[in-house]
Amino acid sequence: MNPALLGLVTIVIGVGGCLAYFYFSNILLDKVIFPGTGPNAGRNINRAEKVRPWLFLAPAILALGLYLAYPVFATIWLSLTDRSQGNAFVGLANYRQMGLDPKFWEALRNNMLWLIVVPAASTAFGLLAAQLTDRIRWGSFAKSIIFMPMAISFVGAAVIFKLVYDARPEGTNQIGILNAIWLQFDGAIWSVVILRILPVVILLAIATLCAFLVWVFARPVLRPDQSRPGLINSIVRISAAVVTAVLVLACLLGALNAVTGTYPYGVPQQWLTIPVWNSFFLMIVLIWIQTGFAMVILSAALRGIPEETIEAAIIDGANPLQIFFSIKMPQISSTIVVVWTTITIVVLKVFDIVYAMTNGQWQTQVLANYMYDKLFRANDWGVGSAAAMVIMLLVTPILVWNVYNARKEMR
Amino acid sequence: MDDGMAGGKSSLTWVVNISVVLLVALWLFPTAGLFISSFRTADQISSSGWWASMFPQEQNQTLRTARPGEDNIAEVNGVYQIDGNLFVAEGQAADIDAVQATISAWGTGSLNIDEYAPGDTADLGDGEQITVQANGDYVWTSPEPQSGRGQRVFTTAKTPPEFTLDNYRNVLFNPNNREGMAKAFFNTLTVTIPATIIPILIAAFAAYALAWMDFPGRALLIAAVVGLLVVPLQLALIPLLRLHNEIGIGKGYLGVWLAHTGFGLPLAIYLLRNYMVGLPRDIIENARVDGATDFQIFVKIILPLSYPALASFAIFQFLWTWNDLLVALVFLIDSSGDTTVMTKQIVELLGTRGGNWEILATSAFVSIAVPLLVFFSLQRFLVRGLLAGSVK
Amino acid sequence: MATLKLTDVAKTYGGTIDVLKNINLDIKTGELIVFVGPSGCGKSTLLRMIAGLEKISGGELQIDGRVVNDIPPAQRGIAMVFQSYALYPHMTVRDNMTFALKLAKKSKAEIDAAVAKAARILQLEPYLDRLPKALSGGQRQRVAIGRSIVRDPKVYLFDEPLSNLDAALRVATRIEIAQLKESMPDSTMIYVTHDQVEAMTLASRIVVLANKGIAQVGTPLELYERPQNEFVAQFIGSPAMNLLAGEIVETGAQTTVKLAGGGTAVAAVPTRDSDRGLQVNVGVRPEDLSAVEDGAPYIFEGTVNITEALGEVTLLYFDRIGDNDAVIGKLPGIHQGLRGQTVRMTAQSDKVQIFHNGQSLHYR
């Protein structure tokens, strides 16, 4: 059958079937199984009310169970068996094999890098964009533009950025904008300002901010009095402090690098083949896409802050920076957490960008693409499933946190 | 915002405006590059950056005079002469009035392409001479009748911006183009529409039950939906593919529809429940007092009132299924390639036609265009949905 | 055209938390019963139990002699007007009013007649084809009422229907509801409010709910003049009734109480000889107090701490008298000069209540 026709038929069958199911199952319940008339009317109606929710839920529960819950357990099982040995149980052999694969560690290391950089940068840019666009008259237009990449597929974005990163042989006209800009640098004063001093300033600013965050995270735990937070909270705070401390170190090292490194001025660069840097060039694509999301959410949160608290701070004599960091930031902190975790999940699942742009070559491998490689190219279901379980494991803290919050909210 | 307050600084407003302009430019440029490139010829793309195409640009071309023949050689004072226009001869302009390029320098050898200025006369040896004017008019003279191919002239010319729809014609409407996007476009559409509509319906009923019906285990179910919201779909690939093979669906549209339905449900239920739970309790109770059954309340009250949330989710699911690569790769595209979708087609092109930007850019833009259209026309709902899904 | 009978009705949540218990109430045809009480007393819950929106945990509810505990709302013959009006925002006024009738599969003629009648009564004819969002607050309120009228129910239930209106509109709509009730003398109505004025002006009888039960049922004036207990005494009337501790010294057709603050109160409440020496609280409403000259008998003597001149009356806030630091007097006219002065106050004996253990001696 023609696929378009098949699609149409599916829509009709799917939608009609769903509606018919809901309609007739309700009729059946009310008229046949527990009729709301006769001597037992009251009791029957109550009984029908007890069954009805499950009629409404049944298709969804079935689909969720089959397409999301079951695969989790099936994948656990697959990761413990070996397909080539007739699906025999092999314990943790697949995990061991994966642990010996340097590509896996490369993917894990890159994923960690992505996990730190992309949510942080997207949230920061989003916050900046939200804060700035809310203050100007053409802000909604600016928001539209920054939000637009949300609609573009990862594959489309990959093509877009491949053009940005394109390199032509030395001496010809560059058609990738990055190389065109790069060739403008020649080691003279502006190059020093833009390529050495500016990055150093930015990195030191980030390092200072992170150091401040270390202090914010660690302070309540180090306080000697009773107001010290509980054990779990302390652990979370300490680990957050350690991660940010590592970031401080990384920023300082980066700054040192920016000062001492040598730059190949005047030579067009194949950006996507320079190890370590190329991962950042891939991350830029995702940051470009996700910033709009962060901006929209944070902008709404900023606008949700009661105007009075800001006016009170102005009357109290706070300057714009103090207002932003002492009045606004604390009030939107929960939203920042939501944005951060949402982007974190996107990052963990990121596949298309790497698949389309480098396919994991030049040390840009990430877990999702590694897993795809194992599953469908190497046909090694065991290791592939083990890699999937690693992704699942990384998602789990967020899953627990979300569920915990949802339950708290419902009480 | 600050306008109303005493002592506001206008310099700050300027800084803000300039920063936003920079941000917007930074975010717009990559897409703009692709968009503009899709309207340029392969030559144009490879000879200059897309940003230069908006302005008249200096372009180096190798042009030929008209091929000597009976009809165009004139004998004047014992000298054989061919005259005409380089751009017309090359078919770049219909006639001499349509020539828009201005030659700034020209030459007759590839090593010395800017040897002469417009109006100069070059000696070609054997008494042959050629004079080229700024507008491309040339006079080629020779003591003997010219023969063979036309004379090569290397020009450096300023040409005005020029765009073409040929790329789109080739990618979308050329039936002989096996790498065309037309088929993939319809395949994508076929995947997307049922995969958008069916989960909405299933989710809406479930969301209503979770929002407005009282039953044991409700809190647990909601928690489960929230949990499934973040389960990476990567986990589902192999088990489900195996399941599909076992029950005979295999790879195909049905499988991809089912998969998208399953993967989209948690977000759908979550969004719709959040919205429905915010509807006024009084209205639903009033309907109950009015004698409506749950089914009637759902169809006549909840569904019409949840229209914004339904629209939000529909947009999400549409964008997600339209832009998806992984699910299509695993559940849909078989070895025949008949069911390929646009994202897959583009990835293929990236591999085989990595340098042919006119094809890549156009193909990518064909696949981006529909989501962008949806985005700009329905942005309101998208934002509302995002807020409902994230801000608590 | 309907009677309601509540017998030992109770509401518990989760089997343990009592919200209401031992509610016994007889409502006759044509009555307008108002439930009042402090917030959280369960008055709305009781109304919703009558409507069928909350399950009845114990006891029995009869409408017209039929037990309806397990009958769904739509089949109880009730109509309800919600605090938020609960208009269906996506339906026109006409559709809002006909929704229930269409669900009940009434004929078109019947529906049209009912809508026409309700629209005429409520002056909604020009608005029938508008959406609720195009109506003012008062008009929405009228649509909500109209929606219940078209159903011609046995019992009308109103859940704080005026609390979303501004002050002026509230008065106007209150009067409209009173007129509506008059035009439908046979319809039974139950009305929940926290506003005393609504309760006093609208009710045939008021049910005061407190402490999970009924504190008193009576006509508005009964409640005002002869409160059954200290709770009702202080709940009805504003400012609240003053309570002063004392001891019964003389009994008979009239009772004399010697108050802790030094004064003497005479109440037209009959007491027995055995009541002599009983520790009681004397209740006097602020508006019943008047100043007396030196030498005349007085209920209490107090220093005026603060005066509030409201125009037609002046409120006097007294320093602590006995163990009561919130005694208030209300004198007609303007008396700001009394601030800082010590005055003696008294009241007529038929305006004085006596409570023992919180219960009025009048009702023994």
Side-chain angles (χ1 to χ4, degrees):
Chain A
M1 205 183 336
N2 184 328
L5 200 66
L6 182 64
L8 211 65
V9 171
T10 310
I11 294 176
V12 172
I13 292 180
V15 173
C18 282
L19 277 179
Y21 159 77
F22 287 116
Y23 183 71
F24 288 112
S25 64
N26 274 287
I27 297 243
L28 193 72
L29 186 67
D30 288 329
K31 298 270 148 79
V32 182
I33 304 178
F34 297 120
T37 50
N40 290 329
R43 221 178 63 202
N44 272 352
I45 287 169
N46 282 338
R47 278 188 191 159
E49 290 314 307
K50 287 209 168 66
V51 177
R52 196 178 327 275
W54 302 104
L55 290 186
F56 277 56
L57 284 166
I61 290 181
L62 191 74
L64 285 178
L66 196 60
Y67 276 83
L68 284 168
Y70 153 74
V72 174
F73 299 103
T75 304
I76 295 178
W77 177 247
L78 278 176
S79 76
L80 300 174
T81 57
D82 188 344
R83 193 186 183 194
S84 59
Q85 297 175 31
N87 299 326
F89 181 80
V90 293
L92 295 176
N94 290 318
Y95 291 89
R96 199 172 309 125
Q97 193 190 335
M98 185 172 69
L100 293 173
D101 184 354
K103 263 294 191 190
F104 167 73
W105 292 106
E106 177 197 316
L108 196 63
R109 193 199 64 212
N110 281 334
N111 251 92
M112 290 301 157
L113 208 58
W114 282 72
L115 278 183
I116 293 170
V117 175
V118 175
S122 306
T123 313
F125 275 118
L127 198 55
L128 183 73
Q131 179 68 17
L132 292 179
T133 51
D134 276 345
R135 295 164 147 260
I136 54 175
R137 211 163 297 150
W138 53 288
S140 60
F141 168 77
K143 273 203 190 102
S144 280
I145 298 297
I146 296 175
F147 191 32
M148 178 190 70
M150 273 293 281
I152 295 177
S153 61
F154 286 165
V155 173
V159 177
I160 288 175
F161 274 85
K162 271 225 162 184
L163 180 59
V164 171
Y165 299 149
D166 190 271
R168 296 273 146 152
E170 207 174 339
T172 54
N173 264 341
Q174 292 300 324
I175 67 165
I177 197 164
L178 195 60
N179 267 316
I181 293 171
W182 171 249
L183 291 183
Q184 303 300 312
F185 294 112
D186 51 6
I189 177 77
W190 280 111
S191 306
V192 173
V193 169
I194 294 176
L195 292 181
R196 295 195 194 273
I197 296 176
L198 192 68
V200 169
V201 170
I202 292 173
L203 284 169
L204 288 183
I206 296 174
T208 318
L209 189 74
C210 288
F212 172 72
L213 283 177
V214 171
W215 185 66
V216 168
F217 286 135
R219 188 178 47 162
V221 184
L222 302 178
R223 242 190 328 233
D225 54 27
Q226 278 79 22
S227 61
R228 208 184 304 183
L231 183 65
I232 294 177
N233 194 338
S234 296
I235 292 172
V236 171
R237 280 177 173 277
I238 293 288
S239 18
V242 170
V243 170
T244 24
V246 170
L247 279 182
V248 174
L249 206 66
C251 288
L252 292 178
L253 281 176
L256 191 69
N257 242 340
V259 176
T260 58
T262 48
Y263 296 124
Y265 292 117
V267 182
Q269 299 294 308
Q270 296 280 354
W271 302 107
L272 291 177
T273 60
I274 313 169
V276 187
W277 284 105
N278 51 8
S279 283
F280 284 93
F281 287 116
L282 294 184
M283 287 180 218
I284 286 175
V285 181
L286 194 56
I287 294 170
W288 180 73
I289 293 175
Q290 292 294 328
T291 295
F293 163 76
M295 176 197 66
V296 165
I297 307 275
L298 292 172
S299 161
L302 282 173
R303 267 177 287 150
I305 294 175
E307 192 74 12
E308 290 87 349
T309 60
I310 295 161
E311 287 172 349
I314 293 172
I315 289 169
D316 285 345
N319 66 36
L321 275 184
Q322 286 170 327
I323 289 175
F324 185 75
F325 284 105
S326 315
I327 309 293
K328 289 185 175 177
M329 282 284 273
Q331 294 194 63
I332 60 167
S333 60
S334 66
T335 310
I336 292 181
V337 171
V338 170
V339 168
W340 195 290
T341 50
T342 310
I343 298 178
T344 301
I345 291 168
V346 175
V347 169
L348 277 171
K349 297 178 188 171
V350 69
F351 161 77
D352 312 33
I353 294 177
V354 177
Y355 180 81
M357 288 186 84
T358 63
N359 201 5
Q361 297 174 82
W362 308 295
Q363 299 176 34
T364 55
Q365 189 65 289
V366 292
L367 282 175
N369 194 51
Y370 175 81
M371 190 210 71
Y372 184 86
D373 256 356
K374 289 290 167 197
L375 285 183
F376 297 102
R377 293 218 182 83
N379 262 321
D380 188 342
W381 288 8
V383 174
S385 300
M389 287 316 296
V390 173
I391 300 177
M392 183 68 210
L393 211 65
L394 291 173
V395 171
T396 306
I398 297 174
L399 189 153
V400 172
W401 167 253
N402 280 359
V403 170
Y404 168 79
N405 274 340
R407 302 215 58 162
K408 197 171 70 180
E409 201 183 315
M410 273 165 41
R411 245 168 244 142
Chain B
M1 237 178 147
D2 291 338
D3 295 346
M5 207 171 302
K9 290 184 221 104
S10 61
S11 62
L12 193 69
T13 319
W14 275 106
V15 173
V16 170
N17 268 301
I18 291 169
S19 316
V20 177
V21 168
L22 278 176
L23 264 180
V24 167
L26 211 54
W27 253 256
L28 192 59
F29 261 38
T31 323
L34 193 80
F35 181 63
I36 291 170
S37 296
S38 72
F39 291 103
R40 305 178 77 204
T41 62
D43 276 349
Q44 285 173 320
I45 293 177
S46 58
S47 65
S48 65
W50 57 266
W51 53 92
S53 69
M54 311 302 284
F55 313 102
Q57 51 177 302
E58 199 106 298
Q59 200 180 358
N60 294 328
Q61 279 181 298
T62 309
L63 305 173
R64 273 183 195 277
T65 63
R67 191 182 178 89
E70 297 285 321
D71 51 340
N72 59 6
I73 300 178
E75 197 186 335
V76 183
N77 303 331
V79 180
Y80 295 93
Q81 178 176 331
I82 298 179
D83 48 14
N85 185 286
L86 286 172
F87 298 107
V88 175
E90 285 285 349
Q92 290 182 6
D95 57 53
I96 195 137
D97 296 325
V99 171
Q100 288 177 311
T102 314
I103 293 172
S104 57
W106 59 281
T108 52
S110 60
L111 295 177
N112 216 348
I113 59 171
D114 50 2
E115 197 176 355
Y116 305 102
D120 286 357
T121 302
D123 201 342
L124 300 170
D126 298 334
E128 286 189 34
Q129 287 186 325
I130 187 163
T131 309
V132 176
Q133 306 294 338
N135 69 348
D137 283 353
Y138 62 89
V139 179
W140 177 18
T141 56
S142 168
E144 303 290 321
Q146 292 94 333
S147 62
R149 303 176 63 188
Q151 169 65 37
R152 271 196 313 176
V153 178
F154 299 87
T155 59
T156 304
K158 264 210 175 352
T159 47
E162 192 193 343
F163 299 102
T164 170
L165 284 171
D166 282 351
N167 297 332
Y168 285 93
R169 245 172 247 135
N170 182 32
V171 163
L172 280 178
F173 304 114
N174 180 356
N176 299 324
N177 182 3
R178 298 203 45 223
E179 291 167 340
M181 296 293 278
K183 188 184 170 83
F185 186 94
F186 283 107
N187 289 346
T188 301
L189 208 61
T190 312
V191 170
T192 305
I193 292 175
T196 304
I197 294 176
I198 294 175
I200 291 183
L201 201 67
I202 296 179
F205 276 95
Y208 172 69
L210 291 175
W212 287 108
M213 292 169 120
D214 214 11
F215 58 92
R218 183 171 77 155
L220 207 68
L221 267 179
I222 297 172
V225 169
V226 173
L228 291 176
L229 210 49
V230 300
V231 168
L233 64 88
Q234 272 93 351
L235 262 72
L237 302 181
I238 287 295
L240 287 182
L241 187 61
R242 218 167 48 166
L243 182 84
H244 280 182
N245 284 332
E246 274 164 19
I247 59 177
I249 298 176
K251 279 190 163 198
Y253 286 111
L254 193 56
V256 84
W257 289 327
L258 287 173
H260 275 311
T261 301
F263 299 149
L265 267 184
L267 182 68
I269 297 177
Y270 179 70
L271 271 185
L272 293 177
R273 190 201 91 92
N274 273 4
Y275 188 87
M276 287 178 187
V277 103
L279 295 175
R281 170 177 285 273
D282 285 359
I283 289 185
I284 290 147
E285 293 190 332
N286 192 48
R288 205 155 276 159
V289 173
D290 275 349
T293 64
D294 273 303
F295 188 79
Q296 284 167 325
I297 291 177
F298 178 76
V299 172
K300 296 202 166 131
I301 311 285
I302 300 280
L303 272 192
L305 292 183
S306 301
Y307 164 67
L310 296 173
S312 304
F313 173 74
I315 297 167
F316 274 124
Q317 182 75 355
F318 175 82
L319 290 180
W320 155 243
T321 48
W322 185 277
N323 289 339
D324 158 77
L325 170 66
L326 186 57
V327 177
L329 274 182
V330 175
F331 293 105
L332 174 63
I333 300 165
D334 53 24
S335 49
S336 76
D338 280 340
T339 51
T340 191
V341 292
M342 283 195 288
T343 44
K344 168 68 175 162
Q345 185 86 343
I346 292 168
V347 171
E348 296 262 292
L349 288 174
L350 271 175
T352 57
R353 299 296 204 108
N356 297 49
W357 279 107
E358 74 285 359
I359 294 176
L360 266 178
T362 313
S363 303
F365 213 83
V366 165
S367 96
I368 293 173
V370 175
L372 282 187
L373 211 68
V374 169
F375 171 84
F376 280 114
S377 52
L378 301 171
Q379 203 185 138
R380 201 159 46 99
F381 291 107
L382 194 66
V383 170
R384 208 183 291 178
L386 273 186
L387 295 181
S390 315
V391 179
K392 289 165 188 163
Chain C
M1 291 180 294
T3 60
L4 264 84
K5 188 174 169 67
L6 284 77
T7 316
D8 279 336
V9 167
K11 178 73 187 175
T12 54
Y13 281 119
T16 50
I17 306 156
D18 281 337
V19 182
L20 290 167
K21 57 185 180 190
N22 298 331
I23 304 291
N24 288 293
L25 193 59
D26 266 313
I27 299 173
K28 294 187 282 291
T29 298
E31 274 194 306
L32 196 165
I33 299 290
V34 175
F35 293 171
V36 291
S39 55
C41 70
K43 55 187 189 291
S44 279
T45 309
L46 185 56
L47 189 78
R48 291 162 56 82
M49 282 158 76
I50 294 171
L53 294 170
E54 301 264 359
K55 280 214 165 60
I56 296 172
S57 319
E60 208 175 70
L61 168 66
Q62 292 178 13
I63 298 179
D64 269 349
R66 172 182 174 221
V67 178
V68 295
N69 282 30
D70 282 335
I71 304 294
Q75 294 166 29
R76 292 188 180 194
I78 50 122
M80 185 153 168
V81 176
F82 288 83
Q83 180 174 6
S84 62
Y85 320 142
L87 302 184
Y88 307 124
H90 56 299
M91 296 183 190
T92 61
V93 169
R94 184 192 305 279
D95 289 341
N96 261 287
M97 299 216 280
T98 55
F99 185 67
L101 302 180
K102 280 180 187 159
L103 288 177
K105 306 218 160 60
K106 291 266 166 45
S107 75
K108 180 140 182 10
E110 231 175 320
I111 293 176
D112 287 347
V115 170
K117 184 177 153 219
R120 198 181 57 244
I121 294 175
L122 295 163
Q123 294 147 32
L124 284 170
E125 280 123 332
Y127 311 115
L128 281 176
D129 293 313
R130 290 203 195 164
L131 287 175
K133 65 177 176 215
L135 300 179
S136 70
Q139 288 163 345
R140 287 180 205 182
Q141 176 62 65
R142 291 215 295 275
V143 175
I145 294 172
R147 203 163 55 172
S148 44
I149 291 177
V150 293
R151 298 185 51 198
D152 191 22
K154 295 178 186 164
V155 185
Y156 288 87
L157 306 176
F158 293 88
D159 188 5
E160 309 210 15
L162 303 185
S163 60
N164 279 353
L165 299 176
D166 62 44
L169 205 52
R170 196 178 302 176
V171 173
T173 314
R174 194 177 74 210
I175 291 167
E176 276 177 29
I177 291 180
Q179 287 169 342
L180 182 75
K181 177 71 190 74
E182 253 170 51
S183 71
M184 302 188 295
D186 286 341
S187 55
T188 309
M189 296 186 179
I190 302 178
Y191 189 108
V192 166
T193 183
H194 60 265
D195 183 323
Q196 280 186 42
V197 182
E198 279 173 38
M200 300 298 280
T201 52
L202 289 174
S204 354
R205 283 194 296 158
I206 295 177
V207 176
V208 182
L209 289 160
N211 292 328
K212 302 172 184 174
I214 295 177
Q216 186 173 358
V217 182
T219 65
L221 287 184
E222 271 170 18
L223 261 54
Y224 180 76
E225 289 172 345
R226 291 289 173 211
Q228 213 162 14
N229 46 47
E230 286 179 4
F231 177 82
V232 175
Q234 293 211 295
F235 188 76
I236 302 287
S238 172
M241 182 184 278
N242 298 305
L243 290 178
L244 297 158
E247 183 189 322
I248 294 181
V249 291
E250 268 178 49
T251 57
Q254 287 205 330
T255 306
T256 307
V257 180
K258 179 85 184 148
L259 294 168
T264 310
V266 178
V269 177
T271 42
R272 300 186 274 267
D273 279 351
S274 57
D275 293 334
R276 195 183 302 267
L278 205 60
Q279 295 298 315
V280 294
N281 279 336
V282 166
V284 196
R285 294 201 179 274
E287 53 269 36
D288 293 334
L289 289 170
S290 55
V292 291
E293 297 297 319
D294 282 1
Y298 61 88
I299 295 180
F300 68 86
E301 180 184 62
T303 307
V304 177
N305 193 10
I306 296 171
T307 60
E308 281 180 350
L310 301 179
E312 89 266 32
V313 293
T314 303
L315 295 182
L316 310 177
Y317 292 82
F318 290 96
D319 271 345
R320 173 182 291 270
I321 292 165
D323 56 357
N324 191 335
D325 60 355
V327 176
I328 300 174
K330 193 188 212 176
L331 297 180
I334 295 170
H335 302 278
Q336 277 161 309
L338 287 177
R339 181 166 185 186
Q341 306 219 358
T342 301
V343 288
R344 291 178 170 178
M345 308 291 275
T346 191
Q348 290 177 8
S349 62
D350 60 337
K351 305 284 187 193
V352 178
Q353 320 290 331
I354 301 178
F355 300 98
H356 173 61
N357 284 341
Q359 298 297 315
S360 172
L361 293 184
H362 189 84
Y363 284 90
R364 280 197 302 198

